[in-house]
Amino acid sequence: MKDSQKRVNLILFGPPGSGKGTQAKMLEKKFDLLQISTGDLFRYELGNNTPLGQKARSYMDKGHLVPDEITIAMLKRKMDQHNDVVGYILDGFPRTIAQCEAFDRFLDDRGEAVNSLISLIVDDNELVTRLLERGKTSGRADDANEAVIKNRIDVYKNETSPVYEYYNNKGLSVEIPGVGKIEEIHTRLSEMITNII
Ligand code: ADP
């Protein structure tokens, strides 16, 4: 990356089951960005039974958010380990206003900022159907139980949806329909990102 080129910081946003992970992986390849999923990072720690994974487990299994302090520290470490990339596509972060503020300060220290938050719109019934279906094969405890899924959707509405407003107030939030064929949604997102970067 040339010094004159600023790194791109995109946030892929949406409720659990909206397809962030699937789409972020496709966009990572297409635009040569690094995808960072805090959910995947926690699952990695959990799988390796690290102290961080042990701390996160009780929150994740119930469908609650892991405390901001832990999440923010993990995210910063990951970005610092990979600071030679063209840009990042964040999936599952930020999820609270405190995370937004910490993230903005962190980027500001690097002379960067969030370029855009792209929100995938999917209705609740479709989300529950998708997550229960994913639960049959994902091995994720938080996908297997309808009560935990409903809890995650509530947490999204109460704690995470203000993140959309936070960046909308800065003129950075956009919405994209998240229902339809995976390829169609990918095309919509790609067109949007081509205009941004
Ligand atoms: P989902 O499919 O529900 O969007 P993720 O795979 O992104 O789930 O995350 C799974 C779980 O990991 C969340 O329910 C939460 O417990 C934890 N987690 C992931 N990202 C964050 C975050 N930014 N802040 C707090 N907890 C998080």
Side-chain angles (χ1 to χ4, degrees), residues 14-18 20 37-40 42-43 56 59-61 63-68 71-72 74 91-96 99 131 134 140 142-143 152:
S18 57
K20 297 184 299 287
S37 155
T38 40
D40 285 350
F42 281 129
R43 278 185 289 277
Y59 300 97
M60 294 176 72
D61 284 353
H64 295 155
L65 294 181
V66 179
D68 286 331
T71 307
I72 292 163
M74 181 181 71
D91 145 20
F93 184 95
R95 242 168 158 110
T96 63
Q99 291 180 19
L131 290 170
R134 184 169 85 185
R140 279 179 55 170
D142 61 347
D143 281 347
R152 283 155 64 201

PDB file of all heavy atoms in Angstrom, residues 14-18 20 37-40 42-43 56 59-61 63-68 71-72 74 91-96 99 131 134 140 142-143 152, ligand 1:
ATOM      1  N   GLY A  14     -25.986  -5.680  10.426  1.00  0.00           N
ATOM      2  CA  GLY A  14     -27.281  -6.344  10.286  1.00  0.00           C
ATOM      3  C   GLY A  14     -27.509  -7.303  11.424  1.00  0.00           C
ATOM      4  O   GLY A  14     -26.570  -7.650  12.149  1.00  0.00           O
ATOM      5  N   PRO A  15     -28.762  -7.752  11.603  1.00  0.00           N
ATOM      6  CA  PRO A  15     -29.072  -8.669  12.697  1.00  0.00           C
ATOM      7  C   PRO A  15     -28.429 -10.039  12.494  1.00  0.00           C
ATOM      8  O   PRO A  15     -27.968 -10.355  11.393  1.00  0.00           O
ATOM      9  CB  PRO A  15     -30.604  -8.773  12.636  1.00  0.00           C
ATOM     10  CG  PRO A  15     -30.979  -8.339  11.277  1.00  0.00           C
ATOM     11  CD  PRO A  15     -29.931  -7.390  10.804  1.00  0.00           C
ATOM     12  N   PRO A  16     -28.412 -10.872  13.562  1.00  0.00           N
ATOM     13  CA  PRO A  16     -27.915 -12.232  13.412  1.00  0.00           C
ATOM     14  C   PRO A  16     -28.690 -12.943  12.319  1.00  0.00           C
ATOM     15  O   PRO A  16     -29.920 -12.852  12.276  1.00  0.00           O
ATOM     16  CB  PRO A  16     -28.197 -12.884  14.768  1.00  0.00           C
ATOM     17  CG  PRO A  16     -28.715 -11.839  15.668  1.00  0.00           C
ATOM     18  CD  PRO A  16     -28.898 -10.581  14.916  1.00  0.00           C
ATOM     19  N   GLY A  17     -27.996 -13.632  11.442  1.00  0.00           N
ATOM     20  CA  GLY A  17     -28.665 -14.363  10.367  1.00  0.00           C
ATOM     21  C   GLY A  17     -28.918 -13.530   9.129  1.00  0.00           C
ATOM     22  O   GLY A  17     -29.497 -14.004   8.148  1.00  0.00           O
ATOM     23  N   SER A  18     -28.463 -12.288   9.116  1.00  0.00           N
ATOM     24  CA  SER A  18     -28.736 -11.428   7.947  1.00  0.00           C
ATOM     25  C   SER A  18     -27.771 -11.714   6.792  1.00  0.00           C
ATOM     26  O   SER A  18     -27.933 -11.169   5.702  1.00  0.00           O
ATOM     27  CB  SER A  18     -28.689  -9.949   8.338  1.00  0.00           C
ATOM     28  OG  SER A  18     -27.450  -9.633   8.913  1.00  0.00           O
ATOM     29  N   LYS A  20     -24.256 -11.466   7.034  1.00  0.00           N
ATOM     30  CA  LYS A  20     -23.017 -10.677   7.088  1.00  0.00           C
ATOM     31  C   LYS A  20     -21.777 -11.528   6.794  1.00  0.00           C
ATOM     32  O   LYS A  20     -20.933 -11.128   6.007  1.00  0.00           O
ATOM     33  CB  LYS A  20     -22.821 -10.052   8.479  1.00  0.00           C
ATOM     34  CG  LYS A  20     -23.888  -9.073   8.889  1.00  0.00           C
ATOM     35  CD  LYS A  20     -23.552  -8.433  10.228  1.00  0.00           C
ATOM     36  CE  LYS A  20     -23.444  -9.400  11.391  1.00  0.00           C
ATOM     37  NZ  LYS A  20     -24.737  -9.941  11.873  1.00  0.00           N
ATOM     38  N   SER A  37     -14.272 -10.804  11.710  1.00  0.00           N
ATOM     39  CA  SER A  37     -15.535 -11.135  12.372  1.00  0.00           C
ATOM     40  C   SER A  37     -15.240 -11.365  13.848  1.00  0.00           C
ATOM     41  O   SER A  37     -14.497 -12.302  14.196  1.00  0.00           O
ATOM     42  CB  SER A  37     -16.126 -12.398  11.742  1.00  0.00           C
ATOM     43  OG  SER A  37     -16.973 -13.051  12.668  1.00  0.00           O
ATOM     44  N   THR A  38     -15.800 -10.522  14.712  1.00  0.00           N
ATOM     45  CA  THR A  38     -15.544 -10.717  16.146  1.00  0.00           C
ATOM     46  C   THR A  38     -16.158 -12.042  16.613  1.00  0.00           C
ATOM     47  O   THR A  38     -15.599 -12.708  17.476  1.00  0.00           O
ATOM     48  CB  THR A  38     -16.056  -9.526  16.984  1.00  0.00           C
ATOM     49  OG1 THR A  38     -17.307  -9.092  16.454  1.00  0.00           O
ATOM     50  CG2 THR A  38     -15.082  -8.383  16.982  1.00  0.00           C
ATOM     51  N   GLY A  39     -17.288 -12.447  16.016  1.00  0.00           N
ATOM     52  CA  GLY A  39     -17.893 -13.739  16.363  1.00  0.00           C
ATOM     53  C   GLY A  39     -16.924 -14.878  16.052  1.00  0.00           C
ATOM     54  O   GLY A  39     -16.710 -15.771  16.877  1.00  0.00           O
ATOM     55  N   ASP A  40     -16.302 -14.831  14.856  1.00  0.00           N
ATOM     56  CA  ASP A  40     -15.328 -15.878  14.484  1.00  0.00           C
ATOM     57  C   ASP A  40     -14.118 -15.843  15.414  1.00  0.00           C
ATOM     58  O   ASP A  40     -13.592 -16.900  15.792  1.00  0.00           O
ATOM     59  CB  ASP A  40     -14.833 -15.677  13.036  1.00  0.00           C
ATOM     60  CG  ASP A  40     -15.882 -16.093  12.011  1.00  0.00           C
ATOM     61  OD1 ASP A  40     -16.894 -16.709  12.403  1.00  0.00           O
ATOM     62  OD2 ASP A  40     -15.687 -15.787  10.813  1.00  0.00           O
ATOM     63  N   PHE A  42     -14.038 -14.869  18.523  1.00  0.00           N
ATOM     64  CA  PHE A  42     -14.433 -15.479  19.807  1.00  0.00           C
ATOM     65  C   PHE A  42     -14.542 -16.994  19.677  1.00  0.00           C
ATOM     66  O   PHE A  42     -14.121 -17.730  20.567  1.00  0.00           O
ATOM     67  CB  PHE A  42     -15.771 -14.909  20.302  1.00  0.00           C
ATOM     68  CG  PHE A  42     -15.662 -13.559  20.960  1.00  0.00           C
ATOM     69  CD1 PHE A  42     -16.477 -12.506  20.570  1.00  0.00           C
ATOM     70  CD2 PHE A  42     -14.742 -13.344  21.973  1.00  0.00           C
ATOM     71  CE1 PHE A  42     -16.378 -11.265  21.180  1.00  0.00           C
ATOM     72  CE2 PHE A  42     -14.639 -12.098  22.590  1.00  0.00           C
ATOM     73  CZ  PHE A  42     -15.462 -11.057  22.197  1.00  0.00           C
ATOM     74  N   ARG A  43     -15.115 -17.466  18.560  1.00  0.00           N
ATOM     75  CA  ARG A  43     -15.273 -18.922  18.397  1.00  0.00           C
ATOM     76  C   ARG A  43     -13.915 -19.626  18.314  1.00  0.00           C
ATOM     77  O   ARG A  43     -13.733 -20.732  18.788  1.00  0.00           O
ATOM     78  CB  ARG A  43     -16.149 -19.251  17.182  1.00  0.00           C
ATOM     79  CG  ARG A  43     -17.641 -19.151  17.490  1.00  0.00           C
ATOM     80  CD  ARG A  43     -18.516 -19.598  16.332  1.00  0.00           C
ATOM     81  NE  ARG A  43     -18.493 -18.650  15.234  1.00  0.00           N
ATOM     82  CZ  ARG A  43     -19.246 -17.557  15.179  1.00  0.00           C
ATOM     83  NH1 ARG A  43     -20.108 -17.289  16.129  1.00  0.00           N
ATOM     84  NH2 ARG A  43     -19.154 -16.727  14.156  1.00  0.00           N
ATOM     85  N   ALA A  56     -15.576 -15.554  27.295  1.00  0.00           N
ATOM     86  CA  ALA A  56     -16.622 -15.224  26.321  1.00  0.00           C
ATOM     87  C   ALA A  56     -17.759 -16.244  26.308  1.00  0.00           C
ATOM     88  O   ALA A  56     -18.909 -15.903  26.049  1.00  0.00           O
ATOM     89  CB  ALA A  56     -16.010 -15.108  24.920  1.00  0.00           C
ATOM     90  N   TYR A  59     -21.332 -15.750  27.928  1.00  0.00           N
ATOM     91  CA  TYR A  59     -22.139 -14.714  27.274  1.00  0.00           C
ATOM     92  C   TYR A  59     -22.680 -15.223  25.947  1.00  0.00           C
ATOM     93  O   TYR A  59     -23.850 -15.072  25.626  1.00  0.00           O
ATOM     94  CB  TYR A  59     -21.300 -13.455  27.021  1.00  0.00           C
ATOM     95  CG  TYR A  59     -20.746 -12.840  28.273  1.00  0.00           C
ATOM     96  CD1 TYR A  59     -19.442 -13.107  28.683  1.00  0.00           C
ATOM     97  CD2 TYR A  59     -21.526 -11.995  29.055  1.00  0.00           C
ATOM     98  CE1 TYR A  59     -18.928 -12.548  29.840  1.00  0.00           C
ATOM     99  CE2 TYR A  59     -21.025 -11.428  30.218  1.00  0.00           C
ATOM    100  CZ  TYR A  59     -19.717 -11.708  30.607  1.00  0.00           C
ATOM    101  OH  TYR A  59     -19.224 -11.150  31.745  1.00  0.00           O
ATOM    102  N   MET A  60     -21.797 -15.822  25.155  1.00  0.00           N
ATOM    103  CA  MET A  60     -22.179 -16.260  23.807  1.00  0.00           C
ATOM    104  C   MET A  60     -23.271 -17.326  23.861  1.00  0.00           C
ATOM    105  O   MET A  60     -24.226 -17.275  23.090  1.00  0.00           O
ATOM    106  CB  MET A  60     -20.959 -16.802  23.064  1.00  0.00           C
ATOM    107  CG  MET A  60     -19.937 -15.727  22.803  1.00  0.00           C
ATOM    108  SD  MET A  60     -18.457 -16.380  22.049  1.00  0.00           S
ATOM    109  CE  MET A  60     -19.020 -16.739  20.393  1.00  0.00           C
ATOM    110  N   ASP A  61     -23.118 -18.293  24.769  1.00  0.00           N
ATOM    111  CA  ASP A  61     -24.082 -19.394  24.832  1.00  0.00           C
ATOM    112  C   ASP A  61     -25.488 -18.904  25.163  1.00  0.00           C
ATOM    113  O   ASP A  61     -26.474 -19.504  24.759  1.00  0.00           O
ATOM    114  CB  ASP A  61     -23.630 -20.453  25.840  1.00  0.00           C
ATOM    115  CG  ASP A  61     -22.506 -21.316  25.284  1.00  0.00           C
ATOM    116  OD1 ASP A  61     -22.198 -21.156  24.086  1.00  0.00           O
ATOM    117  OD2 ASP A  61     -21.946 -22.136  26.032  1.00  0.00           O
ATOM    118  N   GLY A  63     -26.559 -15.934  24.253  1.00  0.00           N
ATOM    119  CA  GLY A  63     -26.980 -14.951  23.243  1.00  0.00           C
ATOM    120  C   GLY A  63     -26.782 -13.525  23.709  1.00  0.00           C
ATOM    121  O   GLY A  63     -27.331 -12.594  23.136  1.00  0.00           O
ATOM    122  N   HIS A  64     -25.997 -13.320  24.769  1.00  0.00           N
ATOM    123  CA  HIS A  64     -25.681 -11.966  25.240  1.00  0.00           C
ATOM    124  C   HIS A  64     -24.414 -11.468  24.561  1.00  0.00           C
ATOM    125  O   HIS A  64     -23.636 -12.257  24.017  1.00  0.00           O
ATOM    126  CB  HIS A  64     -25.444 -11.970  26.752  1.00  0.00           C
ATOM    127  CG  HIS A  64     -26.663 -12.324  27.541  1.00  0.00           C
ATOM    128  ND1 HIS A  64     -26.618 -12.870  28.792  1.00  0.00           N
ATOM    129  CD2 HIS A  64     -27.973 -12.208  27.240  1.00  0.00           C
ATOM    130  CE1 HIS A  64     -27.839 -13.087  29.245  1.00  0.00           C
ATOM    131  NE2 HIS A  64     -28.681 -12.699  28.309  1.00  0.00           N
ATOM    132  N   LEU A  65     -24.189 -10.163  24.660  1.00  0.00           N
ATOM    133  CA  LEU A  65     -22.934  -9.626  24.132  1.00  0.00           C
ATOM    134  C   LEU A  65     -21.811  -9.869  25.129  1.00  0.00           C
ATOM    135  O   LEU A  65     -22.017  -9.806  26.338  1.00  0.00           O
ATOM    136  CB  LEU A  65     -23.059  -8.117  23.892  1.00  0.00           C
ATOM    137  CG  LEU A  65     -24.038  -7.678  22.805  1.00  0.00           C
ATOM    138  CD1 LEU A  65     -24.025  -6.153  22.683  1.00  0.00           C
ATOM    139  CD2 LEU A  65     -23.703  -8.310  21.458  1.00  0.00           C
ATOM    140  N   VAL A  66     -20.625 -10.128  24.604  1.00  0.00           N
ATOM    141  CA  VAL A  66     -19.434 -10.200  25.442  1.00  0.00           C
ATOM    142  C   VAL A  66     -19.119  -8.756  25.865  1.00  0.00           C
ATOM    143  O   VAL A  66     -19.324  -7.830  25.068  1.00  0.00           O
ATOM    144  CB  VAL A  66     -18.268 -10.829  24.632  1.00  0.00           C
ATOM    145  CG1 VAL A  66     -17.003 -10.896  25.464  1.00  0.00           C
ATOM    146  CG2 VAL A  66     -18.656 -12.217  24.123  1.00  0.00           C
ATOM    147  N   PRO A  67     -18.655  -8.523  27.101  1.00  0.00           N
ATOM    148  CA  PRO A  67     -18.414  -7.138  27.541  1.00  0.00           C
ATOM    149  C   PRO A  67     -17.510  -6.358  26.572  1.00  0.00           C
ATOM    150  O   PRO A  67     -16.576  -6.917  25.985  1.00  0.00           O
ATOM    151  CB  PRO A  67     -17.736  -7.318  28.902  1.00  0.00           C
ATOM    152  CG  PRO A  67     -18.231  -8.632  29.397  1.00  0.00           C
ATOM    153  CD  PRO A  67     -18.402  -9.485  28.171  1.00  0.00           C
ATOM    154  N   ASP A  68     -17.826  -5.068  26.439  1.00  0.00           N
ATOM    155  CA  ASP A  68     -17.124  -4.212  25.478  1.00  0.00           C
ATOM    156  C   ASP A  68     -15.605  -4.251  25.635  1.00  0.00           C
ATOM    157  O   ASP A  68     -14.882  -4.329  24.651  1.00  0.00           O
ATOM    158  CB  ASP A  68     -17.592  -2.754  25.645  1.00  0.00           C
ATOM    159  CG  ASP A  68     -18.992  -2.549  25.073  1.00  0.00           C
ATOM    160  OD1 ASP A  68     -19.360  -3.278  24.128  1.00  0.00           O
ATOM    161  OD2 ASP A  68     -19.708  -1.666  25.566  1.00  0.00           O
ATOM    162  N   THR A  71     -14.085  -7.247  24.050  1.00  0.00           N
ATOM    163  CA  THR A  71     -14.276  -7.257  22.598  1.00  0.00           C
ATOM    164  C   THR A  71     -13.372  -6.225  21.920  1.00  0.00           C
ATOM    165  O   THR A  71     -12.731  -6.512  20.902  1.00  0.00           O
ATOM    166  CB  THR A  71     -15.755  -6.950  22.275  1.00  0.00           C
ATOM    167  OG1 THR A  71     -16.572  -7.847  23.014  1.00  0.00           O
ATOM    168  CG2 THR A  71     -16.036  -7.105  20.798  1.00  0.00           C
ATOM    169  N   ILE A  72     -13.328  -5.033  22.487  1.00  0.00           N
ATOM    170  CA  ILE A  72     -12.548  -3.948  21.881  1.00  0.00           C
ATOM    171  C   ILE A  72     -11.057  -4.296  21.878  1.00  0.00           C
ATOM    172  O   ILE A  72     -10.361  -4.113  20.876  1.00  0.00           O
ATOM    173  CB  ILE A  72     -12.821  -2.615  22.626  1.00  0.00           C
ATOM    174  CG1 ILE A  72     -14.267  -2.161  22.358  1.00  0.00           C
ATOM    175  CG2 ILE A  72     -11.845  -1.527  22.197  1.00  0.00           C
ATOM    176  CD1 ILE A  72     -14.789  -1.110  23.329  1.00  0.00           C
ATOM    177  N   MET A  74      -9.703  -7.231  21.872  1.00  0.00           N
ATOM    178  CA  MET A  74      -9.445  -8.305  20.905  1.00  0.00           C
ATOM    179  C   MET A  74      -9.415  -7.760  19.481  1.00  0.00           C
ATOM    180  O   MET A  74      -8.567  -8.124  18.666  1.00  0.00           O
ATOM    181  CB  MET A  74     -10.539  -9.377  21.060  1.00  0.00           C
ATOM    182  CG  MET A  74     -10.383 -10.562  20.139  1.00  0.00           C
ATOM    183  SD  MET A  74     -11.726 -11.753  20.357  1.00  0.00           S
ATOM    184  CE  MET A  74     -13.089 -10.840  19.646  1.00  0.00           C
ATOM    185  N   ASP A  91     -17.291  -7.412  10.411  1.00  0.00           N
ATOM    186  CA  ASP A  91     -18.548  -8.156  10.417  1.00  0.00           C
ATOM    187  C   ASP A  91     -18.822  -8.535  11.868  1.00  0.00           C
ATOM    188  O   ASP A  91     -18.076  -9.290  12.469  1.00  0.00           O
ATOM    189  CB  ASP A  91     -18.343  -9.323   9.438  1.00  0.00           C
ATOM    190  CG  ASP A  91     -19.017 -10.623   9.805  1.00  0.00           C
ATOM    191  OD1 ASP A  91     -19.948 -10.622  10.600  1.00  0.00           O
ATOM    192  OD2 ASP A  91     -18.573 -11.653   9.269  1.00  0.00           O
ATOM    193  N   GLY A  92     -19.842  -7.895  12.464  1.00  0.00           N
ATOM    194  CA  GLY A  92     -20.164  -8.183  13.869  1.00  0.00           C
ATOM    195  C   GLY A  92     -19.545  -7.196  14.838  1.00  0.00           C
ATOM    196  O   GLY A  92     -19.623  -7.391  16.048  1.00  0.00           O
ATOM    197  N   PHE A  93     -18.935  -6.171  14.332  1.00  0.00           N
ATOM    198  CA  PHE A  93     -18.338  -5.121  15.151  1.00  0.00           C
ATOM    199  C   PHE A  93     -18.408  -3.805  14.375  1.00  0.00           C
ATOM    200  O   PHE A  93     -18.176  -3.826  13.173  1.00  0.00           O
ATOM    201  CB  PHE A  93     -16.866  -5.454  15.449  1.00  0.00           C
ATOM    202  CG  PHE A  93     -16.215  -4.455  16.379  1.00  0.00           C
ATOM    203  CD1 PHE A  93     -16.161  -4.676  17.745  1.00  0.00           C
ATOM    204  CD2 PHE A  93     -15.664  -3.271  15.877  1.00  0.00           C
ATOM    205  CE1 PHE A  93     -15.578  -3.745  18.597  1.00  0.00           C
ATOM    206  CE2 PHE A  93     -15.094  -2.340  16.727  1.00  0.00           C
ATOM    207  CZ  PHE A  93     -15.043  -2.584  18.085  1.00  0.00           C
ATOM    208  N   PRO A  94     -18.724  -2.678  15.005  1.00  0.00           N
ATOM    209  CA  PRO A  94     -19.117  -2.489  16.394  1.00  0.00           C
ATOM    210  C   PRO A  94     -20.575  -2.864  16.634  1.00  0.00           C
ATOM    211  O   PRO A  94     -21.399  -2.774  15.742  1.00  0.00           O
ATOM    212  CB  PRO A  94     -18.893  -0.987  16.612  1.00  0.00           C
ATOM    213  CG  PRO A  94     -18.936  -0.355  15.271  1.00  0.00           C
ATOM    214  CD  PRO A  94     -18.546  -1.399  14.279  1.00  0.00           C
ATOM    215  N   ARG A  95     -20.876  -3.287  17.844  1.00  0.00           N
ATOM    216  CA  ARG A  95     -22.208  -3.765  18.189  1.00  0.00           C
ATOM    217  C   ARG A  95     -22.837  -2.969  19.323  1.00  0.00           C
ATOM    218  O   ARG A  95     -23.961  -3.256  19.722  1.00  0.00           O
ATOM    219  CB  ARG A  95     -22.093  -5.218  18.652  1.00  0.00           C
ATOM    220  CG  ARG A  95     -22.838  -6.218  17.787  1.00  0.00           C
ATOM    221  CD  ARG A  95     -22.336  -7.572  18.233  1.00  0.00           C
ATOM    222  NE  ARG A  95     -23.170  -8.666  17.949  1.00  0.00           N
ATOM    223  CZ  ARG A  95     -22.868  -9.600  17.037  1.00  0.00           C
ATOM    224  NH1 ARG A  95     -21.824  -9.487  16.273  1.00  0.00           N
ATOM    225  NH2 ARG A  95     -23.643 -10.642  16.900  1.00  0.00           N
ATOM    226  N   THR A  96     -22.112  -2.010  19.873  1.00  0.00           N
ATOM    227  CA  THR A  96     -22.663  -1.105  20.902  1.00  0.00           C
ATOM    228  C   THR A  96     -22.096   0.286  20.613  1.00  0.00           C
ATOM    229  O   THR A  96     -21.096   0.420  19.894  1.00  0.00           O
ATOM    230  CB  THR A  96     -22.202  -1.507  22.326  1.00  0.00           C
ATOM    231  OG1 THR A  96     -20.773  -1.387  22.389  1.00  0.00           O
ATOM    232  CG2 THR A  96     -22.612  -2.921  22.700  1.00  0.00           C
ATOM    233  N   GLN A  99     -18.546   0.583  21.667  1.00  0.00           N
ATOM    234  CA  GLN A  99     -17.623   0.006  20.673  1.00  0.00           C
ATOM    235  C   GLN A  99     -17.402   0.977  19.512  1.00  0.00           C
ATOM    236  O   GLN A  99     -16.292   1.092  18.991  1.00  0.00           O
ATOM    237  CB  GLN A  99     -18.150  -1.339  20.160  1.00  0.00           C
ATOM    238  CG  GLN A  99     -18.114  -2.440  21.211  1.00  0.00           C
ATOM    239  CD  GLN A  99     -18.630  -3.779  20.713  1.00  0.00           C
ATOM    240  OE1 GLN A  99     -18.708  -4.024  19.513  1.00  0.00           O
ATOM    241  NE2 GLN A  99     -18.981  -4.655  21.638  1.00  0.00           N
ATOM    242  N   LEU A 131     -31.485 -19.065  10.993  1.00  0.00           N
ATOM    243  CA  LEU A 131     -30.583 -19.444  12.089  1.00  0.00           C
ATOM    244  C   LEU A 131     -30.860 -20.867  12.563  1.00  0.00           C
ATOM    245  O   LEU A 131     -29.929 -21.622  12.846  1.00  0.00           O
ATOM    246  CB  LEU A 131     -30.698 -18.447  13.244  1.00  0.00           C
ATOM    247  CG  LEU A 131     -30.111 -17.065  12.915  1.00  0.00           C
ATOM    248  CD1 LEU A 131     -30.476 -16.058  13.998  1.00  0.00           C
ATOM    249  CD2 LEU A 131     -28.603 -17.128  12.772  1.00  0.00           C
ATOM    250  N   ARG A 134     -29.289 -23.070  10.023  1.00  0.00           N
ATOM    251  CA  ARG A 134     -27.838 -23.074  10.197  1.00  0.00           C
ATOM    252  C   ARG A 134     -27.447 -23.929  11.409  1.00  0.00           C
ATOM    253  O   ARG A 134     -26.434 -24.621  11.391  1.00  0.00           O
ATOM    254  CB  ARG A 134     -27.343 -21.633  10.373  1.00  0.00           C
ATOM    255  CG  ARG A 134     -25.826 -21.506  10.479  1.00  0.00           C
ATOM    256  CD  ARG A 134     -25.382 -20.054  10.379  1.00  0.00           C
ATOM    257  NE  ARG A 134     -25.434 -19.388  11.674  1.00  0.00           N
ATOM    258  CZ  ARG A 134     -25.186 -18.085  11.869  1.00  0.00           C
ATOM    259  NH1 ARG A 134     -24.883 -17.317  10.841  1.00  0.00           N
ATOM    260  NH2 ARG A 134     -25.245 -17.557  13.055  1.00  0.00           N
ATOM    261  N   ARG A 140     -23.053 -24.575  16.354  1.00  0.00           N
ATOM    262  CA  ARG A 140     -23.048 -23.416  17.255  1.00  0.00           C
ATOM    263  C   ARG A 140     -24.182 -23.543  18.269  1.00  0.00           C
ATOM    264  O   ARG A 140     -25.352 -23.616  17.885  1.00  0.00           O
ATOM    265  CB  ARG A 140     -23.231 -22.122  16.453  1.00  0.00           C
ATOM    266  CG  ARG A 140     -21.962 -21.640  15.816  1.00  0.00           C
ATOM    267  CD  ARG A 140     -22.184 -20.380  15.006  1.00  0.00           C
ATOM    268  NE  ARG A 140     -22.788 -19.283  15.748  1.00  0.00           N
ATOM    269  CZ  ARG A 140     -22.880 -18.054  15.291  1.00  0.00           C
ATOM    270  NH1 ARG A 140     -22.395 -17.763  14.086  1.00  0.00           N
ATOM    271  NH2 ARG A 140     -23.439 -17.111  16.010  1.00  0.00           N
ATOM    272  N   ASP A 142     -25.436 -21.365  20.073  1.00  0.00           N
ATOM    273  CA  ASP A 142     -26.369 -20.229  20.048  1.00  0.00           C
ATOM    274  C   ASP A 142     -27.317 -20.275  18.850  1.00  0.00           C
ATOM    275  O   ASP A 142     -28.204 -19.442  18.729  1.00  0.00           O
ATOM    276  CB  ASP A 142     -25.617 -18.888  20.122  1.00  0.00           C
ATOM    277  CG  ASP A 142     -24.660 -18.646  18.962  1.00  0.00           C
ATOM    278  OD1 ASP A 142     -24.371 -19.607  18.204  1.00  0.00           O
ATOM    279  OD2 ASP A 142     -24.199 -17.507  18.809  1.00  0.00           O
ATOM    280  N   ASP A 143     -27.136 -21.228  17.934  1.00  0.00           N
ATOM    281  CA  ASP A 143     -28.048 -21.367  16.789  1.00  0.00           C
ATOM    282  C   ASP A 143     -29.083 -22.476  17.023  1.00  0.00           C
ATOM    283  O   ASP A 143     -30.034 -22.599  16.264  1.00  0.00           O
ATOM    284  CB  ASP A 143     -27.268 -21.749  15.518  1.00  0.00           C
ATOM    285  CG  ASP A 143     -26.573 -20.560  14.876  1.00  0.00           C
ATOM    286  OD1 ASP A 143     -26.884 -19.413  15.252  1.00  0.00           O
ATOM    287  OD2 ASP A 143     -25.731 -20.789  13.992  1.00  0.00           O
ATOM    288  N   ARG A 152     -30.914 -13.104  20.909  1.00  0.00           N
ATOM    289  CA  ARG A 152     -29.918 -12.398  20.086  1.00  0.00           C
ATOM    290  C   ARG A 152     -30.576 -11.312  19.247  1.00  0.00           C
ATOM    291  O   ARG A 152     -30.015 -10.237  19.059  1.00  0.00           O
ATOM    292  CB  ARG A 152     -29.176 -13.399  19.193  1.00  0.00           C
ATOM    293  CG  ARG A 152     -28.137 -14.194  19.985  1.00  0.00           C
ATOM    294  CD  ARG A 152     -27.830 -15.525  19.342  1.00  0.00           C
ATOM    295  NE  ARG A 152     -27.229 -15.394  18.031  1.00  0.00           N
ATOM    296  CZ  ARG A 152     -27.248 -16.372  17.113  1.00  0.00           C
ATOM    297  NH1 ARG A 152     -27.848 -17.517  17.369  1.00  0.00           N
ATOM    298  NH2 ARG A 152     -26.669 -16.189  15.953  1.00  0.00           N
TER     299      ARG A 152
HETATM  300  P1  ADP B   1     -24.492 -13.565  14.865  1.00  0.00           P
HETATM  301  O1  ADP B   1     -24.602 -14.673  13.867  1.00  0.00           O
HETATM  302  O2  ADP B   1     -25.472 -13.675  15.992  1.00  0.00           O
HETATM  303  O3  ADP B   1     -24.425 -12.209  14.259  1.00  0.00           O
HETATM  304  P2  ADP B   1     -21.656 -13.608  15.589  1.00  0.00           P
HETATM  305  O4  ADP B   1     -21.070 -14.811  15.004  1.00  0.00           O
HETATM  306  O5  ADP B   1     -21.313 -12.291  15.000  1.00  0.00           O
HETATM  307  O6  ADP B   1     -23.213 -13.843  15.685  1.00  0.00           O
HETATM  308  O7  ADP B   1     -21.337 -13.540  17.164  1.00  0.00           O
HETATM  309  C1  ADP B   1     -21.675 -14.597  18.033  1.00  0.00           C
HETATM  310  C2  ADP B   1     -21.625 -14.118  19.481  1.00  0.00           C
HETATM  311  O8  ADP B   1     -20.312 -13.599  19.765  1.00  0.00           O
HETATM  312  C3  ADP B   1     -22.579 -12.977  19.840  1.00  0.00           C
HETATM  313  O9  ADP B   1     -23.877 -13.412  20.152  1.00  0.00           O
HETATM  314  C4  ADP B   1     -21.842 -12.379  21.048  1.00  0.00           C
HETATM  315  O10 ADP B   1     -22.011 -13.129  22.215  1.00  0.00           O
HETATM  316  C5  ADP B   1     -20.381 -12.478  20.637  1.00  0.00           C
HETATM  317  N1  ADP B   1     -19.937 -11.251  19.903  1.00  0.00           N
HETATM  318  C6  ADP B   1     -19.583 -11.170  18.593  1.00  0.00           C
HETATM  319  N2  ADP B   1     -19.244  -9.915  18.269  1.00  0.00           N
HETATM  320  C7  ADP B   1     -19.421  -9.169  19.391  1.00  0.00           C
HETATM  321  C8  ADP B   1     -19.271  -7.797  19.705  1.00  0.00           C
HETATM  322  N3  ADP B   1     -18.856  -6.901  18.794  1.00  0.00           N
HETATM  323  N4  ADP B   1     -19.526  -7.386  20.981  1.00  0.00           N
HETATM  324  C9  ADP B   1     -19.922  -8.250  21.916  1.00  0.00           C
HETATM  325  N5  ADP B   1     -20.099  -9.563  21.688  1.00  0.00           N
HETATM  326  C10 ADP B   1     -19.862 -10.034  20.444  1.00  0.00           C
END
